[in-house]
């Protein structure tokens, strides 16, 4: 079990292993073998960045049975995929900017799978070998624009609409993890990854039969019931058992 971080230190983007409050810098990226290179620094000396900078952020609509029941929707027989652009990434502790185009911005707590190797046509049974680890994500959504546009690109893609992090936890079994979203300290979503229709391994396999996934690409595995609205001034947290919590605030510019 390792905690991997990506951070800004002395003007450079670096990857490291977090042990206690100490970051052990890696030789290179975590995708080319995880080797400490000897240099360390304190967590308080760096700016934490999203734990990867993916080429692709794949997301899944409607993957928790409790979320489908909440909206009285049928579960799809195959995963329904969409994408968010890497420009929507936001680090732990970063500010979600409420866009002037929207009047309804929602949180969606999600477990996020991080690919560790190039994968194409991977079976679910082989999928673990292609996974670097897991982190927390918030699939921020302009719900009014999602309904108005009839497809999801605008609603899901504003800058800052993809908080991710703070760290990648390796060796996580994703099958039975408590997942919770807290808004201003109060629980609003509370479920378990056991309620997913398609497991993270199945999602990786399915996606890899459509497009090649590269190291650092991520799959957001869907959100449970209890989605709701956020307002400027709010603090939103995604908590998943075994992972460090992801916290962000909402601001209006
Ligand atoms: Mg979602």
């Amino acid at each position: 079990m390792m905690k991997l971080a990506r951070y800004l230190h002395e003007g450079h983007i670096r990857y490291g292993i977090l042990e206690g409050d100490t970051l052990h810098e890696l030789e290179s990226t975590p995708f080319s073998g995880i080797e400490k290179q000897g240099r360390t620094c304190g967590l308080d000396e760096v700016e934490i960045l999203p734990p990867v900078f993916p080429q692709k952020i794949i997301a899944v609509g409607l993957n928790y049975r409790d979320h489908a029941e909440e909206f009285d929707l049928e579960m799809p027989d195959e995963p329904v995929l969409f994408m968010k652009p890497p420009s929507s990434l936001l680090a732990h502790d970063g500010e979600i900017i409420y866009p002037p185009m929207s009047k309804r911005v929602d949180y969606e707590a999600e477990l996020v799978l991080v690919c560790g190797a190039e994968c194409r046509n991977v079976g679910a049974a082989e999928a673990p070998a292609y996974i670097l680890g897991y982190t927390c994500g918030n699939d921020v959504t302009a719900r009014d624009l999602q309904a108005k546009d009839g497809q999801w690109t605008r609603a899901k893609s504003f800058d800052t609409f993809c908080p991710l992090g703070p760290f990648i936890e390796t060796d996580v079994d994703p099958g039975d993890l408590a997942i919770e979203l807290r808004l201003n300290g109060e629980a609003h979503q509370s479920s378990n990854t056991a309620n997913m229709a398609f497991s993270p391994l199945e999602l990786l396999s399915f996606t890899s039969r459509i497009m090649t996934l590269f190291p650092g690409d991520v799959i957001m595995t869907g959100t449970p019931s209890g989605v709701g609205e956020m307002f400027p001034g709010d603090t939103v947290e995604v908590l998943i058992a075994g992972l460090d919590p992801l916290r962000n605030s909402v601001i209006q510019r």
Side-chain angles (χ1 to χ4, degrees):
M1 196 84 156
M2 261 184 310
K3 213 175 270 195
L4 300 171
R6 182 170 159 267
Y7 52 96
L8 194 62
H9 183 230
E10 295 171 341
H12 297 279
I13 295 175
R14 306 191 199 282
Y15 290 89
I17 301 173
L18 182 64
E19 292 173 1
D21 290 328
T22 304
L23 285 159
H24 297 260
E25 196 180 316
L26 296 183
E27 277 291 350
S28 176
T29 72
F31 312 111
S32 49
I34 297 173
E35 300 265 356
K36 292 180 187 171
Q37 50 89 293
R39 192 161 35 189
T40 63
C41 65
L43 191 54
D44 56 0
E45 298 171 60
V46 308
E47 181 187 336
I48 290 295
L49 300 174
V52 279
F53 193 84
Q55 290 188 14
K56 294 190 284 296
I57 301 168
I58 309 293
V60 185
L62 213 62
N63 195 30
Y64 279 77
R65 295 182 193 91
D66 50 350
H67 184 46
E69 281 164 20
E70 164 181 56
F71 288 100
D72 205 17
L73 296 167
E74 289 280 313
M75 287 306 293
D77 59 357
E78 289 186 310
V80 175
L81 303 184
F82 63 94
M83 292 169 88
K84 294 167 83 83
S87 49
S88 65
L89 282 171
L90 181 67
H92 173 65
D93 269 338
E95 292 168 327
I96 298 166
I97 300 168
Y98 201 108
M101 266 185 206
S102 175
K103 297 204 159 31
R104 166 81 196 226
V105 175
D106 283 10
Y107 50 77
E108 293 189 0
E110 307 203 3
L111 176 70
V112 180
L113 178 165
V114 181
C115 292
E118 187 170 318
C119 39
R120 184 183 298 121
N121 294 320
V122 169
E126 316 148 66
Y130 296 86
I131 297 171
L132 179 66
Y134 291 87
T135 190
C136 299
N138 188 344
D139 176 18
V140 179
T141 303
R143 197 69 72 200
D144 52 347
L145 303 181
Q146 186 181 27
K148 183 180 182 187
D149 290 355
Q151 49 91 348
W152 304 0
T153 305
R154 178 165 63 147
K156 297 282 191 179
S157 300
F158 286 95
D159 288 0
T160 74
F161 268 31
C162 190
L164 199 70
F167 312 116
I168 297 167
E169 201 76 51
T170 62
D171 306 310
V172 169
D173 177 353
D176 180 17
L177 303 174
I179 177 166
E180 189 172 285
L181 184 129
R182 289 188 198 155
L183 190 67
N184 303 321
E186 199 178 298
H188 282 239
Q189 293 183 282
S190 186
S191 186
N192 190 292
T193 58
N195 292 322
M196 285 186 191
F198 303 102
S199 73
L201 305 187
E202 288 168 330
L203 292 173
L204 180 78
S205 172
F206 181 77
T207 308
S208 79
R209 288 186 277 126
I210 303 162
M211 61 188 100
T212 302
L213 291 163
F214 294 103
D217 282 353
V218 299
I219 301 178
M220 306 187 74
T221 60
T223 202
S225 64
V227 299
E229 203 171 1
M230 305 184 288
F231 297 95
D234 285 346
T235 298
V236 63
E237 288 167 286
V238 176
L239 297 98
I240 299 175
L243 309 183
D244 284 58
L246 169 68
R247 182 186 57 235
N248 298 93
S249 51
V250 185
I251 63 159
Q252 194 147 38
R253 275 216 179 118

